[in-house]
Amino acid sequence: MVRAALLFALAALVTIAGCRAGSSNGKGGADMPQRDVTTVMNAHVDALMATDGVAGVAISETDDRKPCIVIYVVQLTDALKASLPTALEGYPVRIEESGEFRPLKGEVPANP
Amino acid sequence: MKKLFRVSTVAMLLLALAVSFGLWGCSREPATPVAPEAANVSVDRSATSPSIRGVMNVQERYTTALMADPDVIGTATTIDDNGQPAVLLLVTSDRARRGAPTMLDGTPVKVLLTDRIVAMKSTGGGVSHTAKQTAPIKLGTSGGWGYDLANGYCCAGTLGSLVSVGGQKRILSNYHVFESDIVSGGNSRISATGDKIVQPGLIDVSCNAANAQTVATLVATRSLPNANVDCSTANIVSGMVDATGNILEIGTISASTVGASVGQLVKKSGRTTGLTRSKVSALNATISVAYENECAGGAAFTKTFTGQIVITNTRSGFLAGGDSGSLMVEDITTNPRAVGLLFAGSTSTAIANPIGQVLSFLGATMVGN
């Protein structure tokens, strides 16, 4: 009887811990990284690029030189910020307002 | 045995508790997952935003009175250190700085002590990147397709560097500088192999090709929209291009290349901003870029590039319109190695194709030492 109660308590604790770990997944998850950052970015890039207002995704470093993922957005609105993850599989995400990426050719009127 | 069971069970419970809290701790989001500078960027900083327009009105109302002081040399609308729209006052003396108002009609005033502002004809060292050069020309200069005039506009970019393809020396620039006219459209012409490549580009000769010189002939390769690089080359006309591959304000480069790394210091020599320096801020970027079908033309296609190099480009200080085609090299003095081919960007970010991908696509090597 005692043994059963203890096993139940143990199972409950593990379940609680698992839920907590999973609770951040709505924003991308912030567990310790299990995969390298390139693999993680590649796994999420299509979904991110399909998000309206996202102009690009890349890999960079945090101030303390740890790998992170950068999401470039055309214009950072509150709604867009709320829809983007703050971490992906343990890697922090940095959001940068880049504007649109354009070819940088020069263009002037022929008859100014 | 029963006692042993109880002890081991308690130990297991403690272990489970420790593991649980450990997992809980790991699951927390990092303390600063978003860069501090991103926190304030939701402020609409466009000239059409009501808050910016309001500050511009205040600025205009007070400019005459403020500039009555000879040490106040300018006003502007800016964003202050708190991320709020403010009137910027440019002053040349500490006296004027101390006497400046802190608020104007409830709008904060930011004061900047500066030197007198003088006109700057060229971008550095007295070297012009837009003037017609005496042959053989150096690269890092204005240039482009000789017929890049359509829809009431002319276009150009940068003749960036020299490559060798099968022993033949060619100018390297971008697809969208040399051969992106793919419809008859506004000039009844489509770019083709053999077309003239001119220096300077049409935008620097009042859109009149007769005032430029032909330095190369196009080898149309149509890298886009299919390939992952925005590049094109042109065979040099004998005697018209420095055969050592000398680039204005950079000089000769190395024949070998180097991969990009985050934090790497880089420089480039281009038509619009001349010699500029920056650093690589991110790698392996996936980005989308929209292309036109001719100069000032309609939409051609949107290309999604992968594996690109991202460079810091604060207020277009590193790369601006007209710099496309510039070669990005490591920031060392002697024979720097090529890192990337610059082709796109925004006012905060520049993008380069990794040079290895460009050379591989073209079957080329850099001309250098």
Side-chain angles (χ1 to χ4, degrees):
Chain A
M1 182 64 186
V2 173
R3 189 176 194 170
L6 284 170
L7 286 172
F8 175 77
L10 183 61
L13 278 167
V14 171
T15 304
I16 289 167
C19 287
R20 180 61 190 161
S23 67
S24 66
N25 285 348
K27 293 287 280 175
D31 306 301
M32 293 298 285
Q34 300 295 314
R35 304 196 284 178
D36 71 83
V37 68
T38 303
T39 304
V40 171
M41 188 195 77
N42 289 342
H44 294 271
V45 69
D46 288 347
L48 290 169
M49 290 296 287
T51 306
D52 273 350
V54 171
V57 182
I59 294 169
S60 186
E61 290 179 348
T62 60
D63 290 342
D64 54 353
R65 305 210 56 142
K66 295 202 169 105
C68 69
I69 292 170
V70 187
I71 301 175
Y72 299 97
V73 300
V74 175
Q75 188 175 16
L76 185 56
T77 62
D78 290 342
L80 182 55
K81 190 175 177 181
S83 73
L84 295 173
T86 55
L88 286 170
E89 299 186 30
Y91 293 101
V93 167
R94 186 170 77 222
I95 301 170
E96 291 189 14
E97 190 176 55
S98 62
E100 283 183 34
F101 294 125
R102 300 171 186 276
L104 290 176
K105 195 175 185 179
E107 182 180 296
V108 300
N111 298 299
Chain B
M1 183 67 190
K2 207 168 185 179
K3 189 176 178 184
L4 182 62
F5 170 73
R6 278 190 193 134
V7 169
S8 63
T9 306
V10 170
M12 277 180 66
L13 267 173
L14 288 171
L15 179 64
L17 271 170
V19 169
S20 302
F21 282 111
L23 283 173
W24 196 327
C26 288
S27 72
R28 285 182 197 152
E29 289 166 2
T32 53
V34 178
E37 63 269 23
N40 288 328
V41 293
S42 58
V43 174
D44 184 353
R45 298 176 178 189
S46 68
T48 54
S49 105
S51 59
I52 296 290
R53 283 295 331 159
V55 174
M56 289 168 86
N57 290 337
V58 172
Q59 176 205 341
E60 285 165 15
R61 215 161 35 240
Y62 284 91
T63 290
T64 304
L66 290 166
M67 291 189 68
D69 182 335
D71 287 351
V72 176
I73 59 167
T75 68
T77 296
T78 187
I79 302 293
D80 68 11
D81 297 339
N82 299 317
Q84 298 305 308
V87 172
L88 177 68
L89 216 54
L90 299 169
V91 302
T92 57
S93 71
D94 197 48
R95 177 197 60 75
R97 184 183 63 79
R98 285 196 309 272
T102 56
M103 300 283 275
L104 289 170
D105 290 351
T107 299
V109 175
K110 181 177 178 177
V111 184
L112 190 63
L113 189 60
T114 179
D115 290 329
R116 291 245 163 232
I117 297 170
V118 295
M120 300 182 76
K121 191 174 181 181
S122 65
T123 50
V127 175
S128 172
H129 293 253
T130 56
K132 184 177 180 181
Q133 295 183 41
T134 301
I137 67 158
K138 292 180 180 175
L139 299 157
T141 186
S142 169
W145 187 48
Y147 310 96
D148 216 353
L149 170 64
N151 307 304
Y153 288 81
C154 65
C155 290
T158 295
L159 309 180
S161 59
L162 210 56
V163 295
S164 176
V165 181
Q168 196 169 45
K169 287 180 178 171
R170 298 184 187 175
I171 294 173
L172 173 64
S173 187
N174 294 135
Y175 158 87
H176 75 270
V177 174
F178 280 180
E179 52 172 308
S180 63
D181 193 324
I182 54 174
V183 294
S184 294
N187 57 2
S188 303
R189 193 170 188 114
I190 292 172
S191 60
T193 293
D195 285 350
K196 62 186 181 186
I197 298 299
V198 297
Q199 191 281 325
L202 296 190
I203 61 175
D204 294 309
V205 287
S206 305
C207 300
N208 183 358
N211 295 329
Q213 55 189 333
T214 301
V215 296
T217 55
L218 176 63
V219 181
T221 47
R222 300 282 189 258
S223 63
L224 292 179
N226 295 323
N228 194 41
V229 286
D230 180 347
C231 65
S232 183
T233 58
N235 284 328
I236 62 171
V237 173
S238 180
M240 295 304 291
V241 180
D242 187 328
T244 65
N246 198 314
I247 299 171
L248 288 170
E249 299 191 88
I250 288 179
T252 55
I253 63 169
S254 171
S256 57
T257 62
V258 64
S261 56
V262 174
Q264 182 182 34
L265 300 177
V266 291
K267 61 183 176 182
K268 75 97 192 57
S269 175
R271 178 262 169 199
T272 305
T273 55
L275 175 68
T276 54
R277 294 178 160 86
S278 188
K279 67 178 180 182
V280 173
S281 62
L283 297 173
N284 205 21
T286 297
I287 58 147
S288 290
V289 181
Y291 286 85
E292 294 181 342
N293 55 16
E294 63 181 346
C295 184
F301 52 85
T302 295
K303 172 70 181 178
T304 298
F305 294 89
T306 59
Q308 303 301 299
I309 306 167
V310 183
I311 308 100
T312 302
N313 189 33
T314 308
R315 291 183 292 280
S316 300
F318 178 65
L319 196 74
D323 284 329
S324 267
S326 303
L327 184 73
M328 182 172 77
V329 299
E330 59 185 337
D331 189 7
I332 62 171
T333 305
T334 307
N335 293 326
R337 291 172 293 180
V339 178
L341 175 62
L342 291 155
F343 73 102
S346 67
T347 53
S348 65
T349 305
I351 309 290
N353 295 144
I355 194 65
Q357 286 189 26
V358 173
L359 296 177
S360 176
F361 174 80
L362 295 168
T365 55
M366 298 306 306
V367 170
N369 297 316

